Amino acid sequence: MKRTSWSAGLSVSADGVGVVAHAGSVGLRLLADRTGLTTELSKAMTRRSFTPVHDRGRVLVDVAIMLADGGEAIADIDVLRHQAPVLGRVASPPTVWRTLDEVTGGRLKKIATARARARRHVWAQLPGGLPASRVAGTDLGATVVLDIDATIVIAHSEKENASPTFKKTFGFHPLGVWCDNTSEFLAAQLRTGKAGSNTATDHITVLTDAIAQVPAAHRKDLLIRADGAGSSHKLLDWLTEQNRVRGRRVEYSVGFAVTEKIREAIKLVPAKTWTPASDADGGVREGGDVAELTGLLDLTGWPEGMRIIVRRERPHPGAQLSLFEERDGWRYQAIATNTTTGQLAFLEARHRAHARVEDRIRHAKDSGLGRFPSREFKINQAWLATVMIAADLVAWTRLLALVGDAEVLATCEPKALRYRFLHVPARLTHGARRRRLRIPESWPWAAAIVAVFANIAAIPQPA
């Protein structure tokens, strides 16, 4: 048999009817409705004496679904317009442009409030309660962990407020906060490319917005993690002041620069004081040790109760070392924290888990953050708001829908989730005054997809 015989008699025509290409994305739209997000966004976008053909809250949800589905440009909304037999009328690209242009600074705040209200309902429905953040083979219990970090988004053309970056590229330097417990994208600020990495004012603004996104019942125990950009007097003073809020405990774990004073303190650490570091599973980290430098440093001017912990490890081949590190063959990293209890190895491993934020950033860039569509900064800010909504919808799908018979999809990254679920084809049939999406029975994840839709339909709507 010839190897090309499979294509014998195959022809292609554009006359198919009742076919839905990205049927899984319908589930995200249902989720937005069931959690109350669509309704809340509609309220946030309401304008007096203006009744649009396309509800603006619905448009924002559809743009977020488009981004979660892999869209990269406003014109990609046409993929959802193709699904009109299921979704009804979907806004055109010009309407999407107008909607984003209507998102003023005041409406951005209202959108944030709408997201917070929907999040409160979602967290109340979580089976088993809020997931615990896992560190070194254990978990942090009820602590809500907020990871803050910035990233570079390259602009390939002249756009408002785009500028050269510290990495010698050109574009923007947004700052965001993610919840490690749930992978939600809580808050972000779009900044020019030359914005500083350790701008305390920006950190405080974004963290304030992020904490406001956390339901009030869960703000009692917070952990803020950041890289070295967070080790500024102003930010750490602000974090310390948050502990004065009645009924709230805020701990921090931030990277700390290995300065000459730190190096001098390291020289004073007795050899027997170094203890083995922990790996990601809680075991002993080969070639790594930790020690505390707090008592060996003059921390005058820093917040009361701040501790300095240092980790040393043998560098990997080809690593760039400082002259100090080359002298004794160790590579050093330091962190600052106000946590008073716990073994040093655990506290250092807890901070190292901040690296998970890099995955969150990568996923966000794969869902709209990697490209801003407009020359206008205002529209790009609105686009960033839809990126956060898209990330939340995917996170809520994992938390509420990818359970039980659908758990096989729970570990999928965005691209795999699209390949297996969001982009699944289906046939739309009508009968007995009902519409039915029929997933191909040969699809490997057909049973899981049916379970996803059933789980979404079971979410109680907000009162």
Side-chain angles (χ1 to χ4, degrees), residues 179-256:
C179 178
D180 187 61
N181 305 65
T182 61
S183 300
E184 293 165 297
F185 194 173
L186 298 181
Q189 180 178 347
L190 183 58
R191 308 184 300 168
T192 181
K194 61 184 179 183
S197 298
N198 59 345
T199 306
T201 301
D202 293 344
H203 279 68
I204 292 172
T205 298
V206 177
L207 282 171
T208 300
D209 293 341
I211 293 174
Q213 286 292 317
V214 177
H218 295 272
R219 295 178 197 164
K220 299 177 182 179
D221 188 1
L222 302 175
L223 171 64
I224 311 299
R225 293 190 303 208
D227 56 18
S231 59
S232 64
H233 288 270
K234 186 175 181 180
L235 176 60
L236 295 185
D237 287 340
W238 180 82
L239 290 172
T240 302
E241 290 176 1
Q242 300 310 300
N243 284 292
R244 298 178 182 175
V245 178
R246 185 175 180 180
R248 181 181 298 179
R249 181 181 69 175
V250 178
E251 297 182 353
Y252 58 79
S253 180
V254 302
F256 203 80

Side-chain angles (χ1 to χ4, degrees), residues 155-164 170-172 374-376 380:
H156 296 284
S157 61
E158 290 287 344
K159 296 183 178 181
E160 185 180 4
N161 289 343
S163 63
F170 182 83
F172 300 97
S374 177
R375 291 182 179 274
E376 297 182 29
N380 289 334

Side-chain angles (χ1 to χ4, degrees), residues 239-455:
L239 290 172
T240 302
E241 290 176 1
Q242 300 310 300
N243 284 292
R244 298 178 182 175
V245 178
R246 185 175 180 180
R248 181 181 298 179
R249 181 181 69 175
V250 178
E251 297 182 353
Y252 58 79
S253 180
V254 302
F256 203 80
V258 180
T259 61
E260 188 60 33
K261 291 183 178 180
I262 296 291
R263 297 188 185 103
E264 292 299 323
I266 290 174
K267 295 178 182 178
L268 301 177
V269 177
K272 63 180 181 181
T273 302
W274 292 96
T275 59
S278 295
D279 61 17
D281 297 323
V284 174
R285 183 179 178 90
E286 291 293 334
D289 301 301
V290 295
E292 183 166 1
L293 303 181
T294 307
L296 303 174
L297 294 167
D298 179 9
L299 297 178
T300 303
W302 291 97
E304 183 179 353
M306 188 180 81
R307 304 167 64 189
I308 303 296
I309 299 172
V310 66
R311 171 169 60 94
R312 70 178 186 182
E313 61 182 355
R314 295 301 182 185
H316 59 79
Q320 293 184 347
L321 304 178
S322 66
L323 293 176
F324 176 76
E325 292 170 332
E326 287 182 349
R327 187 164 56 223
D328 63 2
W330 293 96
R331 189 168 195 172
Y332 296 95
Q333 290 181 314
I335 65 170
T337 182
N338 63 341
T339 303
T340 58
T341 60
Q343 295 181 345
L344 294 182
F346 176 79
L347 296 179
E348 193 278 327
R350 184 187 67 171
H351 177 77
R352 211 173 334 117
H354 171 69
R356 285 196 288 260
V357 75
E358 298 297 336
D359 287 333
R360 320 288 190 225
I361 293 173
R362 178 169 54 84
H363 295 165
K365 285 190 172 182
D366 192 40
S367 304
L369 183 61
R371 178 184 179 275
F372 289 106
S374 177
R375 291 182 179 274
E376 297 182 29
F377 191 74
K378 171 188 171 184
I379 291 180
N380 289 334
Q381 284 180 311
W383 180 267
L384 179 57
T386 63
V387 170
M388 290 188 281
I389 295 171
D392 283 351
L393 286 175
V394 173
W396 295 349
T397 300
R398 295 186 192 279
L399 294 168
L400 298 178
L402 303 188
V403 296
D405 292 339
E407 193 172 2
V408 66
L409 297 171
T411 58
C412 292
E413 291 202 350
K415 287 185 178 180
L417 194 64
R418 293 170 193 150
Y419 183 77
R420 300 179 183 185
F421 169 48
L422 297 179
H423 294 178
V424 62
R427 181 171 293 281
L428 179 65
T429 62
H430 300 75
R433 298 182 179 180
R434 296 177 64 87
R435 293 175 299 161
R436 176 172 295 183
L437 276 178
R438 296 182 176 273
I439 307 297
E441 61 179 0
S442 61
W443 193 255
W445 305 278
I449 292 172
V450 172
V452 171
F453 279 89
N455 290 336

Side-chain angles (χ1 to χ4, degrees), residues 78-113:
D78 284 337
V79 174
L80 293 186
R81 286 167 61 82
H82 148 77
Q83 302 182 64
V86 182
L87 304 179
R89 295 181 61 187
V90 175
S92 65
T95 301
V96 171
W97 276 106
R98 287 193 294 271
T99 300
L100 295 178
D101 189 48
E102 292 169 12
V103 180
T104 61
R107 285 207 175 86
L108 279 175
K109 294 180 180 179
K110 291 183 178 181
I111 289 172
T113 300

